[in-house]
Amino acid sequence: MIRSLWLLSTGRRDGGSSDTATFGYARGTVSIPVAFVAASVIEAVAIHFLVPWQWLRVVLLVATVLSLIAIGGWLAGRVVHPHLVSARTVVFRSGTGVRVEVDRSRISRVSMVRRFGETANAIVDDCLVLPGPDGTVVDVGFDRPVSVTLPKRLSKGSSSTLIDGLRLHVDQPGEFCAALSRD
């Protein structure tokens, strides 16, 4: 998270280059973190006036600041770690936690399909779902199952999982589908 905040503060993105196109997926994700920040600021002010012990005020203020850094780091991770499309490979990401790198020749189909069902990373019908707050907008299918390493909460105990495709959120789905469809 700290690295993501540093990249965001310097205006850089992780992985972009002249021969690699980047596609963001952070649009629409700011409202919830902003609500948490506002609630944390209100809470910090209320604690200052309501808690009579200075040591407890300091401890709670430190906890509030750390939570704000965590929220900012999560949001920065979604901004500075975009999906990457190069001539040979495609890297699908979800912040700093999920990274699926696939050879472009393995992609058998790409389509724009709006799905509202999932709003958290999950495995559904052997597809990895990397949604935004409104679900997913692009489906990507592979010619045969791809082995990926996922965080423990998604992999059901195994270090690697086979997936047949992805459902993901992208800020510019038309441009993303066109980039994946080019040979």
Side-chain angles (χ1 to χ4, degrees):
M1 283 194 250
I2 300 298
R3 182 175 182 270
S4 296
L5 285 168
W6 175 255
L7 287 171
L8 184 65
S9 70
T10 59
R12 297 185 308 179
R13 302 292 180 263
D14 185 30
S17 67
S18 61
D19 61 341
T20 302
T22 62
F23 293 91
Y25 51 91
R27 185 177 297 151
T29 59
V30 175
S31 60
I32 292 174
V34 166
F36 276 115
V37 168
S40 295
V41 169
I42 292 168
E43 174 189 49
V45 171
I47 286 171
H48 179 73
F49 289 113
L50 297 175
V51 175
W53 305 285
Q54 181 66 24
W55 67 270
L56 185 56
R57 277 189 253 156
V58 170
V59 169
L60 293 174
L61 181 62
V62 168
T64 299
V65 169
L66 291 176
S67 70
L68 291 174
I69 290 171
I71 292 167
W74 174 83
L75 184 59
R78 292 187 62 83
V79 172
V80 302
H81 298 288
H83 302 302
L84 306 172
V85 178
S86 71
R88 297 194 50 166
T89 61
V90 180
V91 178
F92 301 97
R93 295 175 166 167
S94 180
T96 59
V98 177
R99 179 186 168 106
V100 178
E101 190 166 342
V102 179
D103 191 87
R104 283 186 65 167
S105 64
R106 302 286 308 274
I107 296 174
S108 61
R109 65 176 173 74
V110 179
S111 58
M112 291 190 337
V113 178
R114 185 154 241 343
R115 298 176 194 272
F116 297 100
E118 298 292 329
T119 56
N121 295 348
I123 302 278
V124 176
D125 300 329
D126 294 326
C127 286
L128 176 59
V129 180
L130 304 175
D134 296 338
T136 61
V137 293
V138 174
D139 284 5
V140 178
F142 303 128
D143 58 353
R144 60 188 182 279
V146 173
S147 178
V148 297
T149 303
L150 300 173
K152 288 183 182 180
R153 65 181 180 79
L154 290 177
S155 62
K156 299 175 186 170
S158 169
S159 62
S160 66
T161 303
L162 290 175
I163 59 171
D164 293 328
L166 287 119
R167 298 174 187 163
L168 61 148
H169 173 75
V170 181
D171 292 342
Q172 300 95 10
E175 293 173 21
F176 185 71
C177 289
L180 290 181
S181 298
R182 283 187 222 120
D183 289 331

